[in-house]
Amino acid sequence: MYKTKNVILLVILAGFVVGIGWFIARDRRSLTRHVQGQKQVWYCPMHPWIKSDKPGVCPICGMALVPGHQHNETPLVKIPGYISVEISQQKQQLAGIRTALVGKNTVVKTIRAAGRVAYDEDLYKAEVRYVEDYIAYTRLDRRLNQGSYTIQDAQRKLKEEELDLIHMGATEQTITQLQTNKFPDHSLLVSHGDGAQIFAEVFGEDLGFVDVGQKAIIDVPDYHETFNGTVTSIDPIIDPMSQTARVRIYINAENDLHSNMFVNVSMPVELNEAIVIPRDAVMDTGLRKVVFVEKGEGQFEPREIKTGWETDDGFEVKSGLKEGERIAVNGNFLLDSESRVQAGLEDNNHV
């Protein structure tokens, strides 16, 4: 009976030893595969496509090659032609790679246009005719004994002239002022100390951001001065040659400005709050826009993003990034070339 128990204990002990040996052997095989999956290579920090299987110098710039690893196992490729890369701190410093935190900001788009100090003889003459006819109409309206036909005819003529004024860039407010003041706008011919009109030629794609009452900044290069202005009207017709529409801006200029003097016009427009990243952070391949997201310990992941408005500070990001992530904002060309080269090497290793 004791012999039987001893045999059973020996069998159990032997099984236990065999099991431990199997687990140790499995871990060693796994470790061996991991070590063998990393091949020691040397890179040039400034020319990452220069690689060697032993230490040396770059044949292009003479810089000493730095050690790295080339993985034989295929990592996950999220973007065709790109792969996540590991960049040492030394290489990041040499290449000037800088990162920044992704966050939301107010999207500000500035509409810029070339302009000039107003000189519009045709509109001035049209205003003169309208004022004369309006005064004549008011006098007819008081003398009702002249007959309703004469009054209706005058009303019809005034309506036609009002349409002409609007097509030439006047507004309903301008027409009301002509009726009240009973004289044309002299700033259409010459500016004076009380103010001046500016004609800005705004491209059709930007007209949707411009509205009456909007603030504008007028820079006069000849005088080295800047004036604040307000948009008073927007022409309803786009010029077929330049594809621009005339935006009229009133400025309170203390100094006299010469008619047709060249000016630069800028109109900042606040759109909404969104994620905005610098232009230098985006690599535009023509097919897609790519940024590099820092994942920690020198790892950078290529990420495709969808952009919205191009703003003063960069690009609005519609999708692809989240607040709190950190992206490379400088030295992206090194990351781009390293990622593409590594992806190409992986493709060649599996052909």
Side-chain angles (χ1 to χ4, degrees):
M1 182 176 178
Y2 289 106
K3 289 183 180 181
T4 303
K5 289 182 178 180
N6 290 336
V7 170
I8 293 173
L9 289 174
L10 287 174
V11 171
I12 293 174
L13 181 61
F16 181 74
V17 172
V18 170
I20 291 177
W22 182 82
F23 278 108
I24 293 175
R26 186 191 65 173
D27 291 341
R28 284 181 176 176
R29 287 195 300 271
S30 176
L31 180 61
T32 301
R33 283 198 303 269
H34 177 73
V35 174
Q36 290 176 349
Q38 293 186 343
K39 178 183 178 182
Q40 184 73 62
V41 294
W42 278 260
Y43 302 84
C44 172
M46 301 305 297
H47 304 91
W49 59 89
I50 301 298
K51 301 180 185 294
S52 175
D53 56 357
K54 57 185 178 181
V57 296
C58 175
I60 298 177
C61 64
M63 183 177 290
L65 302 181
V66 296
H69 289 92
Q70 176 178 316
H71 297 271
N72 291 330
E73 296 180 359
T74 305
L76 178 63
V77 179
K78 296 183 179 180
I79 304 177
Y82 283 88
I83 198 173
S84 295
V85 293
E86 180 180 349
I87 307 294
S88 66
Q89 288 296 327
Q90 179 187 10
K91 187 184 291 186
Q92 290 185 40
Q93 292 176 359
L94 289 172
I97 295 176
R98 290 188 296 104
T99 61
L101 204 63
V102 174
K104 284 188 175 181
N105 292 301
T106 300
V107 178
V108 178
K109 181 179 178 65
T110 299
I111 307 301
R112 293 180 171 83
R116 59 185 175 87
V117 179
Y119 181 82
D120 195 334
E121 186 178 2
D122 293 336
L123 180 56
Y124 181 81
K125 290 180 178 179
E127 288 188 359
V128 170
R129 288 193 301 270
Y130 180 78
V131 169
E132 291 174 349
D133 291 337
Y134 181 77
I135 293 174
Y137 164 73
T138 56
R139 289 174 180 172
L140 286 172
D141 194 36
R142 292 190 182 96
R143 296 183 298 171
L144 298 176
N145 59 344
Q146 291 205 4
S148 61
Y149 174 78
T150 304
I151 295 175
Q152 291 174 354
D153 189 56
Q155 288 176 337
R156 188 180 302 109
K157 186 176 182 181
L158 286 175
K159 287 295 182 182
E160 291 175 355
E161 291 179 351
E162 287 175 2
L163 287 175
D164 290 339
L165 287 171
I166 290 174
H167 286 152
M168 297 175 73
T171 63
E172 296 290 344
Q173 182 181 1
T174 302
I175 294 173
T176 301
Q177 289 176 347
L178 292 174
Q179 294 172 355
T180 303
N181 299 332
K182 295 184 174 58
F183 59 80
D185 185 359
H186 299 299
S187 66
L188 291 171
L189 296 181
V190 59
S191 66
H192 44 78
D194 294 335
Q197 283 201 56
I198 302 297
F199 293 164
E201 301 297 330
V202 178
F203 286 103
E205 62 183 12
D206 293 329
L207 285 175
F209 300 101
V210 182
D211 201 359
V212 174
Q214 186 170 323
K215 301 302 180 183
I217 301 171
I218 312 300
D219 176 56
V220 184
D222 290 346
Y223 284 178
H224 302 285
E225 289 190 64
T226 300
F227 301 94
N228 293 321
T230 304
V231 175
T232 57
S233 69
I234 304 169
D235 283 10
I237 301 174
I238 291 181
D239 183 277
M241 298 297 293
S242 64
Q243 287 298 299
T244 60
R246 178 178 293 179
V247 174
R248 300 166 190 265
I249 303 168
Y250 177 81
I251 62 173
N252 186 14
E254 297 180 357
N255 299 330
D256 290 341
L257 301 177
H258 297 287
S259 299
N260 287 327
M261 180 179 285
F262 177 78
V263 298
N264 292 311
V265 179
S266 58
M267 292 172 279
V269 182
E270 290 190 2
L271 300 177
N272 58 336
E273 189 177 73
I275 292 177
V276 179
I277 61 175
R279 289 181 182 82
D280 293 340
V282 181
M283 299 297 297
D284 192 343
T285 68
L287 297 176
R288 55 180 60 90
K289 291 182 174 67
V290 179
V291 298
F292 287 89
V293 181
E294 185 180 28
K295 307 301 288 185
E297 298 182 356
Q299 292 284 340
F300 288 89
E301 174 190 275
R303 184 90 58 81
E304 183 175 0
I305 62 171
K306 301 297 182 183
T307 59
W309 299 114
E310 184 173 0
T311 71
D312 295 352
D313 300 323
F315 291 102
E316 175 194 12
V317 178
K318 291 289 190 181
S319 63
L321 286 175
K322 298 182 296 184
E323 282 189 271
E325 291 186 303
R326 186 170 287 275
I327 61 172
V329 296
N330 193 53
N332 296 46
F333 286 102
L334 171 65
L335 294 172
D336 183 76
S337 60
E338 182 81 358
S339 178
R340 289 171 180 261
V341 168
Q342 288 288 347
L345 289 174
E346 295 296 341
D347 290 341
N348 291 334
N349 290 337
H350 292 83
V351 171

